[in-house]
Amino acid sequence: MQLWKGRFQKELDPKTNDFNSSISFDSRMYKEDIDGSIAHATMLSAQGIISADDLSKIVKGLKEIKSEIESGTLLIDPNAEDIHTFVEGELTARIGAAGKRLHTARSRNDQVALDIRLYLKNQCNELYAQLTELIDVLCKKAKQYASAVMPGYTHLQRAQPITFGHHLLAYAEMLLRDKERLLDATERMNYCPLGSCALAGTTYNTDREMVAKDLGFTAPMQNSLDGVSDRDFCIELAAALSIIMVHLSRFSEEIVLWSSFEFKFIELDDAFSTGSSIMPQKKNPDITELIRGKSGRVFGDLQTLLVMMKGLPLAYNKDMQEDKEAIFDAFDTVKMCLTAFIPMLDTMVALPENMRRAAAGGFINATDCADYLVGKGIPFRDAYKATGELVAICIEKGLTLETLPMDEYKKVLDVFDEGVYEAIDLDKCVNDRTSLGGPAPKNVLQQVLRVQNLNK
Ligand code: ARG
């Protein structure tokens, strides 16, 4: 059944029908389609465009269709052109003429624009809740490992001492921004296109404010051409989702590194690891690798949307039917990744002894040694050079700054005294890094409270 058969002499070629149809991927919007239709019909009746009797038949019919789809007693016809066609056809089969009046002062163009917005609003809420949960887990772990000293890296070379709690909170900051971005995009998307009709509004005396309010939108969209042809919100959300995937992917990469024998900073729970079919010793961080890999899909979805839209003249073009698979896939993927990632992180155990061992072996307190000299009145540049020489001596002798004897220190600069050993003590180095945003355990505990507050 097509909604547009009036002028045609022939049926659409069957294979072309499959090509043209979007039912396989837009049927997931059946609920939004029905809710939108109920709001539309309610407005039509309030404005005297359809009768109260037609309205009650329409509402009853649509509600029945919704609950039958939900319970599985009504199967969505895979040969229908799209979900809008299916619902209207089913309604008309049940209630006759009243069903045929539903589409007055409406087009599938504004209908689909409405349905996607309603559907994505829900998706945003679900994703927002998952991000909140992830940040909660990060806060819990950051508190637990607030004073676990580990090496901080630049260029993946040991750089300066930090704490594991501090490292985890860096991701909490990114995820807080991700939540903000989602919220922002949701608010910008929250304008109702229904009533734009095909592209040029209508001569009927519709009340677009009423529909917008009924469906929970801030206001109706103000230009009918824009109403049917805007997909900015899909692009914006795909961009926000891509950034989330960048964050999850970087985090995943670190977990892959940390769980290797070379690092062994963490141990993943068996329930979130996999083995090898040939190498009995293997315990692989597959989940994180998959997340790293799946980030590419989401970036691809963003690209699909940008390229699909960039050459389209106003207003609706069928190209835009391609929006749904891309944006649905982006949401499905990110939500699926988080579903695995959150409990994996929650059950992950850190190994602070190994972190500390790595922190002790890589001269990450060299800056602190230089700072100690600055405290003795040596200009920083000279202090930096002297410390560099000490590092070279240590490397040559197979020692660390902690184990290098005092006479070696004094050979480089006479101002050195026993106080240097205290100054380069890892715990002291970390505890003293109390500058705003720094890794000291005290800071971490404060930041946990701040993040938890923002995450409410
Ligand atoms: N299935 C279509 C889509 O997703 C619905 C809108 C169809 N409009 C039209 N003028 N053919 O975009």
Side-chain angles (χ1 to χ4, degrees), residues 273-286 289:
S273 312
T274 52
S276 155
S277 57
I278 174 169
M279 297 168 283
Q281 85 284 10
K282 289 296 286 288
K283 180 171 169 185
N284 297 328
D286 282 26
E289 293 167 70

Side-chain angles (χ1 to χ4, degrees), residues 261-441:
F261 267 104
E262 284 70 12
F263 277 80
K264 258 294 159 249
F265 285 1
I266 55 151
E267 185 72 42
L268 292 177
D269 195 89
D270 280 2
F272 297 97
S273 312
T274 52
S276 155
S277 57
I278 174 169
M279 297 168 283
Q281 85 284 10
K282 289 296 286 288
K283 180 171 169 185
N284 297 328
D286 282 26
I287 293 175
T288 45
E289 293 167 70
L290 266 176
I291 291 173
R292 206 174 49 187
K294 281 180 191 292
S295 62
R297 289 176 70 123
V298 180
F299 307 159
D301 293 328
L302 170 61
Q303 196 66 12
T304 298
L305 290 164
L306 286 168
V307 177
M308 182 269 285
M309 288 300 289
K310 83 174 181 73
L312 299 186
L314 301 185
Y316 178 83
N317 300 271
K318 186 78 170 199
D319 315 44
M320 289 156 75
Q321 179 164 285
E322 291 287 310
D323 58 357
K324 284 170 280 301
E325 279 170 295
I327 193 65
F328 294 168
D329 180 71
F331 270 99
D332 292 348
T333 305
V334 178
K335 285 185 349 186
M336 200 163 54
C337 287
L338 285 167
T339 301
F341 191 79
I342 294 169
M344 185 206 68
L345 193 72
D346 200 16
T347 51
M348 176 188 92
V349 173
L351 304 168
E353 329 75 63
N354 295 349
M355 293 179 178
R356 179 173 285 272
R357 203 171 307 129
F363 303 104
I364 65 174
N365 44 8
T367 318
D368 300 275
C369 179
D371 288 343
Y372 157 88
L373 287 174
V374 170
K376 297 263 178 205
I378 309 286
F380 181 77
R381 228 357 107 211
D382 296 336
Y384 170 94
K385 186 164 171 285
T387 308
E389 284 169 32
L390 288 166
V391 169
I393 295 168
C394 287
I395 291 171
E396 192 196 313
K397 296 186 180 299
L399 295 171
T400 63
L401 289 174
E402 288 90 334
T403 53
L404 187 72
M406 185 42 59
D407 59 317
E408 295 288 349
Y409 273 102
K410 284 203 178 287
K411 269 191 231 164
V412 173
L413 267 185
D414 201 38
V415 296
F416 274 113
D417 61 27
E418 291 292 326
V420 71
Y421 296 113
E422 195 201 326
I424 60 168
D425 174 74
L426 276 182
D427 284 303
K428 182 176 159 32
C429 295
V430 147
N431 289 336
D432 286 356
R433 287 189 143 73
T434 53
S435 57
L436 178 66

Side-chain angles (χ1 to χ4, degrees), residues 122-287:
N122 263 326
Q123 293 295 304
C124 287
N125 288 342
E126 286 180 22
L127 183 54
Y128 194 86
Q130 281 188 304
L131 293 174
T132 302
E133 201 187 329
L134 177 53
I135 294 172
D136 271 343
V137 171
L138 280 170
C139 285
K140 190 175 84 180
K141 295 270 164 196
K143 198 170 163 189
Q144 185 181 355
Y145 300 115
S147 47
V149 176
M150 72 179 274
Y153 295 83
T154 59
H155 313 268
L156 200 56
Q157 305 286 325
R158 291 171 190 164
Q160 288 181 337
I162 57 167
T163 47
F164 191 49
H166 186 59
H167 197 115
L168 294 177
L169 284 182
Y171 285 102
E173 296 292 334
M174 297 175 221
L175 292 162
L176 282 174
R177 288 196 294 274
D178 288 332
K179 279 178 65 175
E180 244 175 66
R181 246 184 300 272
L182 261 190
L183 210 59
D184 235 47
T186 316
E187 271 169 29
R188 237 186 314 281
M189 169 174 74
N190 200 27
Y191 290 84
C192 184
L194 202 68
S196 301
C197 305
L199 75 162
T202 180
T203 54
Y204 290 101
N205 177 29
T206 51
D207 183 350
R208 294 194 53 211
E209 303 278 348
M210 175 184 174
V211 177
K213 201 160 161 240
D214 229 36
L215 292 169
F217 287 98
T218 310
M221 292 180 75
Q222 295 294 314
N223 181 299
S224 62
L225 294 174
D226 184 47
V228 291
S229 66
D230 164 37
R231 294 293 182 274
D232 290 2
F233 58 98
C234 293
I235 298 174
E236 194 176 358
L237 285 171
L241 267 56
S242 293
I243 298 174
I244 295 174
M245 286 308 289
V246 169
H247 296 153
L248 292 182
S249 182
R250 293 184 75 181
F251 201 171
S252 293
E253 166 61 16
E254 297 210 285
I255 291 173
V256 170
L257 282 173
W258 292 339
S259 59
S260 71
F261 267 104
E262 284 70 12
F263 277 80
K264 258 294 159 249
F265 285 1
I266 55 151
E267 185 72 42
L268 292 177
D269 195 89
D270 280 2
F272 297 97
S273 312
T274 52
S276 155
S277 57
I278 174 169
M279 297 168 283
Q281 85 284 10
K282 289 296 286 288
K283 180 171 169 185
N284 297 328
D286 282 26
I287 293 175

Side-chain angles (χ1 to χ4, degrees), residues 4 20-23 25-26 29 81-85 107-113 116 198 231 316-324:
W4 38 263
N20 191 48
S21 162
S22 54
I23 193 86
F25 50 86
D26 67 15
M29 303 191 304
E81 187 177 328
D82 51 32
I83 188 62
H84 329 293
T85 308
S107 152
R108 278 183 300 160
N109 297 352
D110 57 344
Q111 195 178 351
V112 71
I116 316 172
R231 294 293 182 274
Y316 178 83
N317 300 271
K318 186 78 170 199
D319 315 44
M320 289 156 75
Q321 179 164 285
E322 291 287 310
D323 58 357
K324 284 170 280 301

